[in-house]
Amino acid sequence: MKIQKPAMAGTLESSDCMVTVTPEGGESVRYEIESIVMERYGDAIERAARETVESLGVTSGRITIQDRGALDCVIAARVETAIRRAAVKEVVV
Amino acid sequence: MIRSMAFLPGNTPNMLINGDSFGADALILDLEDAVAPSQKDSARILVRNYLRTHKDHSGTLVVRINSTDTDYWREDLQAVLPERPDCILPTKVDGADMVRLICREMEAIERACGMETGSVGLMPLLETAMGIEQAFAIASASPRVKALVLGGEDLTADLHSKRTKEGMEILYARTRLVCAARAARVEAIDTPFTDVNDMEGLRADAAFAKGLGFGGKLVISPRHIDTVNEVFSPSQEEIDYAREVLHCIAEAKENGLGVVALRGKMIDAPIVARAQQVFDAARTIYGDIF
Amino acid sequence: MSKLTASIKDALVSAGVRDGMTLSFHHHLRNGDAVLVMTVTALRELGIRDITLSASALFQVHAPIIAAMEDGTITGIETGYAGGDMGAAISAGKLQRKAVFRSHGHRPADIEGGKIHIDIAVIAAPTSDPEGNCSGKYGRSACGSLGYAMPDAQFADRVIVVTDNLVDYPLVDFSIPETQVDYVVTVDSIGDPRGIVSSTTRITRDPVGLRIAKYAADSILHSGLLKDGFSFQTGAGGATLAAAMYLKEIMLKKEVHGSFCMGGITGYLVDMLESGCFESLMDVQCFDLTAVESLRKNPGHREVSATQYASPTAKSCIADRLDAVILGATEIDTDFNVNVHTDSRGVIMGGSGGHSDVAAGAKLTIIAAPLIRARLPLIVDRVNCISTPGSTVDLLVTQYGMAVNPLNRELEQRLRDAKLPVVDIRELQARAENLSGRPQPLIMGDRVVADVLYRDGSLLDQIRMKELL
């Protein structure tokens, strides 16, 4: 999948996270993660996001995660939703 | 055994994650009314991931999908079915054709991902006048159907009547649904009680439904779960009586007696059948305390 | 000679304030208190240095004094609790000396035993007369009980009462008598009433909190302790107050006539008193206006000192007479040690308060808390800071069931007989880690920033430096 346009998914409620994906040039995916549990779960959050990004075949773009203590399955869901939303090309009428 | 079925909004992680601590026999992960149209995609993926990571869930997991007159229901099924929820709860089911339509879709998905066909059940939600009138046809349309579920709120709108706490306006629907479900040998689940703060009203409403033959009840607030479970569990009196009946029958059999009486009342086949139901239910709920 | 003094600064000078002294404060005005900051401001203006602050508790509202920690005005803190930025400042090493944490019962014991020598006690009083007879029950800044200030008033060398409601002599219904007071200062406001007490204390509607509360109440019901003469203490937060709600239902239904509630009093406990669940309330601290009003009017609602509440060296104390207490935790480990001092990053966010006192005193100590909070598991292999030793904790209650300390086999049998969901604490731990994953280990600094003392005076634990990233 290719990130065509900026898109978001999720919320800032407790146990959820807000994911923003933005198209970027280059051949890599950049991660920006901010979390209330960064010290204890920062690595796990990035791992969950990275696995999702790779499984969807995304190779470039920026993934911003504002985490409020979401479990991995929630982070993965929000990242996937944001990417799927971003992969839809805008139809210009 | 399902006494309580609690709705969890499909796009709210906090509720999903804690849902299995509330004590409900079944959880309904809701993709329909609890999810705004703009978030259907988000909820679908979240619920799919939830199912994927909750394979060892001890209770019954049910997914409520969007109705067949929307664009969402096929994608709902495609997302969640491969994760093997126990049942799908389709809404506004008004006839056997709709059940068959959904079953065909389910079978196609099951085949496509190499699952055993028919492994995921159906619990049709009947919430239209037509649905109630077609209750038996719906219940017997497919072996996937495990229960009929009553949705009283939408139904009363369709009936042009007003929903009241007493519920006289849905009495016919309740009895009709129970009768159809029992005739088709599937479970009957009652409509939810919607006043979150009225615990006495909840108890009375649940007890009334149990009296009509419902096996359980939908629940819209976690705070209602304990009461509903309690009402739909056999009481100590019921258990004691059932034990006595079964004991009597066993004794009569041993002594070669044809007719037995207990507390001055003849024990016939229906009484024995009811006693066995109570006994089985009690064993399921309380374990091997007998 | 009149005790009335024009300002806090004048009173401090009259009291002979000088470098290296210990000044004490109570926390009845909680997060609305203005007196501590006013006093520290006066100290800075006077150029006084190297002060030890002995405060029964510190809150976010006191954060302006962090500057006085940095400039050497305050070099030591002894307290029962440090919330908000105050805790973070201690963790960040802003004090020259180690902070010392004592429980609410241990503090008066050490004041009376001379281990804490208070040179000057500054007592914020919602109402006082010109001779210093003062009370927390009246005035626009009313806070109810002044229990934590009583040992300070009794044992400090000099006592300054600061009030914003000066009344004619004598204030008959005083909590602290004029015999202990040297100076009386009137100020415009001793604090913000909105931060002092809440107008109502609301019971949680969170279904997880309610589930925990229900289990906690059920465990008391089946503990064998719930009979006439029952005594109880609970906190004001989350699940613990909701547990009181369920307990009330049970007590009324079973017609149990309890003896007393100790607290930390909220309107909800007042309601239990008035509906006949208990004969009396013993009150060291009011949390809301209903509690303040009840303390004023109901003879069955009695103000008590911190000493009588929980001092281990008093000839007897209320904490030792408790049947059941329900307490919170930020972490608990598999040996049932509880942490209420530091948060998930290892930063100080609170303290024992009376936690370890009542855990030691009560027959049944229940820790009630959610198994996971925003991904963080409650149960860990070893708590970052031991606030309350596991040997004094009987039961952990979470929304996924309850774990009994193996030291209390009788309780375990009773709860199992009652068909309550009893599980091994390691099973609960595994359940949470299954969802959350195991957290990365905490990285703490080397320098010790605080000693945590147990109520017998022994060193329970030490908290190491932690600067926020």
Side-chain angles (χ1 to χ4, degrees):
Chain A
M1 257 180 222
K2 189 167 159 51
I3 295 172
Q4 311 270 7
K5 59 174 184 194
M8 296 172 81
T11 71
L12 291 176
E13 285 167 35
S14 176
S15 306
D16 202 349
C17 65
M18 178 97 89
V19 176
T20 311
V21 303
T22 330
E24 268 188 351
E27 279 307 298
S28 69
V29 181
R30 250 191 330 137
Y31 296 88
E32 283 172 11
I33 298 168
E34 166 219 305
S35 169
I36 55 168
V37 293
M38 198 66 195
E39 277 197 64
R40 311 307 296 272
Y41 287 102
D43 296 350
I45 295 166
E46 180 163 344
R47 192 163 54 238
R50 202 176 277 280
E51 280 171 13
T52 307
V53 166
E54 281 165 14
S55 74
L56 294 171
V58 175
T59 52
S60 71
R62 187 171 75 224
I63 314 278
T64 308
I65 301 173
Q66 290 167 277
D67 173 57
R68 294 291 179 269
L71 299 180
D72 283 347
C73 66
V74 176
I75 292 162
R78 297 322 194 189
V79 170
E80 178 174 341
T81 304
I83 290 173
R84 287 189 185 280
R85 287 174 178 178
V88 180
K89 231 189 176 130
E90 216 125 8
V91 183
V92 184
V93 185
Chain B
M1 147 164 242
I2 294 175
R3 297 163 297 175
S4 53
M5 282 180 84
F7 283 103
L8 300 177
N11 201 34
T12 311
N14 202 24
M15 288 292 282
L16 287 179
I17 289 156
N18 289 302
D20 59 348
S21 70
F22 302 153
D25 292 329
L27 296 176
I28 305 170
L29 315 172
D30 190 8
L31 299 176
E32 199 218 16
D33 283 356
V35 180
S38 65
Q39 299 300 325
K40 294 290 184 192
D41 58 337
S42 195
R44 203 178 279 139
I45 294 171
L46 183 64
V47 165
R48 182 203 67 195
N49 281 11
Y50 174 91
L51 290 169
R52 204 171 271 175
T53 49
H54 284 71
K55 296 278 187 220
D56 56 349
H57 182 81
S58 55
T60 302
L61 285 178
V62 180
V63 179
R64 175 155 85 165
I65 58 169
N66 288 283
S67 70
T68 53
D69 58 6
T70 66
D71 297 332
Y72 307 124
W73 72 281
R74 284 198 167 85
E75 280 185 77
D76 290 347
L77 280 179
Q78 279 157 12
V80 302
L81 217 59
E83 306 307 329
R84 301 168 195 266
D86 296 294
C87 280
I88 296 294
L89 190 139
T91 62
K92 300 188 189 72
V93 178
D94 62 3
D97 283 349
M98 195 187 283
V99 175
R100 285 191 280 265
L101 171 71
I102 295 165
C103 285
R104 276 198 300 278
E105 188 72 21
M106 289 170 74
E107 198 172 322
I109 298 167
E110 283 168 340
R111 279 187 204 289
C113 48
M115 293 162 65
E116 188 191 337
T117 57
S119 53
V120 178
L122 269 182
M123 293 186 170
L125 184 63
L126 310 191
E127 46 187 343
T128 60
M130 183 59 90
I132 298 299
E133 290 303 322
Q134 296 293 322
F136 179 71
I138 292 168
S140 45
S142 159
R144 284 188 198 264
V145 177
K146 307 295 180 215
L148 293 183
V149 185
L150 179 62
E153 305 305 305
D154 285 23
L155 175 64
T156 35
D158 201 31
L159 292 174
H160 296 210
S161 68
K162 186 171 173 285
R163 185 82 173 92
T164 66
K165 228 174 227 189
E166 296 69 37
M168 283 309 289
E169 69 284 356
I170 59 163
L171 179 59
Y172 167 76
R174 278 173 152 172
T175 52
R176 176 89 193 244
L177 184 145
V178 168
C179 191
R182 298 302 176 201
R185 295 283 177 264
V186 303
E187 251 318 325
I189 307 290
D190 189 32
T191 192
F193 185 73
T194 51
D195 185 341
V196 174
N197 294 315
D198 181 3
M199 300 311 268
E200 285 313 304
L202 168 71
R203 184 174 291 277
D205 190 53
F208 182 68
K210 182 189 178 187
L212 294 178
F214 282 100
K217 194 169 174 61
L218 292 175
V219 172
I220 52 157
S221 164
R223 290 157 63 194
H224 284 181
I225 291 170
D226 282 348
T227 302
V228 168
N229 282 348
E230 197 185 312
V231 170
F232 283 98
S233 303
S235 67
Q236 193 57 50
E237 269 166 53
E238 286 175 297
I239 296 168
D240 291 346
Y241 181 66
R243 188 187 286 143
E244 237 178 303
V245 168
L246 296 178
H247 180 73
C248 244
I249 286 296
E251 211 168 42
K253 231 176 227 168
E254 225 166 79
N255 299 335
L257 291 172
V259 184
V260 271
L262 177 65
R263 300 182 194 175
K265 204 175 162 217
M266 200 182 75
I267 300 188
D268 50 14
I271 292 184
V272 177
R274 178 70 194 138
Q276 193 63 49
Q277 285 164 9
V278 169
F279 194 79
D280 291 346
R283 191 150 47 192
T284 310
I285 298 163
Y286 303 113
D288 50 346
I289 58 170
F290 298 96
Chain C
M1 200 183 83
S2 170
K3 292 180 184 176
L4 285 175
T5 311
S7 67
I8 292 177
K9 198 194 280 185
D10 289 351
L12 287 171
V13 171
S14 301
V17 70
R18 56 172 197 278
D19 292 357
M21 278 189 160
T22 295
L23 267 67
S24 88
F25 301 85
H26 67 72
H27 72 282
H28 289 288
L29 304 185
R30 301 169 56 75
N31 204 34
D33 176 41
V35 171
L36 192 150
V37 172
M38 283 193 275
T39 306
V40 172
T41 304
L43 289 171
R44 289 180 86 189
E45 285 168 11
L46 290 167
I48 303 287
R49 301 186 57 78
D50 198 20
I51 290 294
T52 299
L53 216 62
S54 173
S56 50
L58 295 165
F59 295 89
Q60 177 62 35
V61 72
H62 300 126
I65 73 162
I66 293 169
M69 292 158 66
E70 288 166 329
D71 74 7
T73 308
I74 296 164
T75 53
I77 285 180
E78 312 213 330
T79 189
Y81 180 101
D85 289 349
M86 289 307 299
I90 296 172
S91 274
K94 291 191 188 287
L95 278 175
Q96 287 179 15
R97 289 176 280 137
K98 279 187 296 190
V100 179
F101 281 94
R102 285 184 182 80
S103 68
H104 281 336
H106 185 208
R107 181 175 184 272
D110 273 1
I111 290 172
E112 291 168 17
K115 285 186 185 147
I116 301 174
H117 178 85
I118 300 170
D119 296 294
I120 302 172
V122 181
I123 296 176
T127 293
S128 176
D129 69 22
E131 299 298 347
N133 291 300
C134 60
S135 164
K137 295 183 227 172
Y138 312 93
R140 62 177 178 273
S141 309
C143 61
S145 177
L146 283 183
Y148 290 117
M150 291 175 179
D152 302 43
Q154 204 181 341
F155 289 90
D157 290 347
R158 291 282 176 268
V159 174
I160 301 171
V161 165
V162 181
T163 188
D164 55 8
N165 185 39
L166 190 70
V167 295
D168 288 343
Y169 186 88
L171 173 63
V172 175
D173 187 14
F174 59 84
S175 300
I176 289 171
E178 58 186 310
T179 52
Q180 301 172 348
V181 178
D182 298 275
Y183 309 97
V184 177
V185 179
T186 306
V187 295
D188 290 342
S189 165
I190 59 169
D192 176 1
R194 284 170 303 179
I196 297 172
V197 283
S198 36
S199 51
T200 54
T201 311
R202 246 197 308 248
I203 292 197
T204 180
R205 294 179 64 88
D206 163 38
V208 173
L210 289 172
R211 165 70 38 180
I212 297 166
K214 178 93 178 19
Y215 281 154
D218 285 346
S219 70
I220 291 175
L221 167 63
H222 295 290
S223 66
L225 295 169
L226 193 66
K227 47 194 182 214
D228 287 353
F230 173 71
S231 58
F232 177 60
Q233 178 167 345
T234 185
T240 54
L241 194 63
M245 171 183 80
Y246 287 118
L247 192 63
K248 178 187 164 191
E249 278 172 25
I250 292 170
M251 290 179 78
L252 291 178
K253 200 168 145 197
K254 303 253 167 203
E255 294 183 13
V256 175
H257 301 285
S259 164
F260 71 91
C261 254
M262 178 67 229
I265 302 295
T266 58
Y268 208 82
L269 296 179
V270 170
D271 185 41
M272 289 180 87
L273 173 72
E274 289 172 354
S275 56
C277 293
F278 293 99
E279 289 289 319
S280 55
L281 300 181
M282 304 299 260
D283 188 342
V284 71
Q285 163 94 70
C286 294
F287 285 126
D288 58 29
L289 285 176
T290 315
V292 175
E293 162 131 3
S294 165
L295 180 64
R296 208 156 42 216
K297 292 185 171 161
N298 192 335
H301 184 164
R302 173 67 201 239
E303 180 180 22
V304 298
S305 70
T307 314
Q308 190 180 355
Y309 167 31
S311 168
T313 56
K315 291 179 183 174
S316 69
C317 72
I318 298 166
D320 289 342
R321 293 295 295 253
L322 284 165
D323 285 326
V325 296
I326 304 177
L327 303 167
T330 60
E331 284 179 331
I332 185 168
D333 65 29
T334 46
D335 292 325
F336 290 82
N337 296 307
V338 175
N339 176 11
V340 288
H341 275 89
T342 57
D343 66 14
S344 66
R345 302 161 305 177
V347 175
I348 296 168
M349 45 64 66
S352 182
H355 201 285
S356 56
D357 294 313
V358 294
K363 293 193 186 79
L364 171 63
T365 299
I366 301 169
I367 303 295
L371 190 62
I372 298 173
R373 287 190 191 95
R375 190 165 188 166
L376 294 161
L378 171 72
I379 306 168
V380 295
D381 291 338
R382 173 59 61 196
V383 287
N384 181 50
C385 171
I386 299 177
S387 310
T388 293
S391 59
T392 61
V393 172
D394 298 286
L395 179 67
L396 166 67
V397 177
T398 76
Q399 73 269 39
Y400 288 103
M402 47 188 81
V404 186
N405 189 326
L407 297 173
N408 196 337
R409 297 233 174 262
E410 187 201 331
L411 178 67
E412 172 161 357
Q413 197 52 52
R414 282 177 183 274
L415 300 184
R416 282 192 190 280
D417 289 348
K419 299 270 161 209
L420 289 176
V422 177
V423 282
D424 191 279
I425 193 165
R426 285 171 202 282
E427 234 173 88
L428 285 174
Q429 182 189 23
R431 178 166 199 154
E433 287 183 357
N434 209 10
L435 286 170
S436 292
R438 250 179 120 77
Q440 296 159 229
L442 264 186
I443 298 162
M444 303 292 290
D446 288 334
R447 185 183 146 196
V448 173
V449 292
D451 282 345
V452 178
L453 302 184
Y454 192 47
R455 61 202 306 264
D456 61 6
S458 63
L459 181 67
L460 195 53
D461 210 337
Q462 292 189 311
I463 300 172
R464 288 176 192 277
M465 185 155 142
K466 181 79 184 192
E467 262 185 296
L468 290 182
L469 298 172

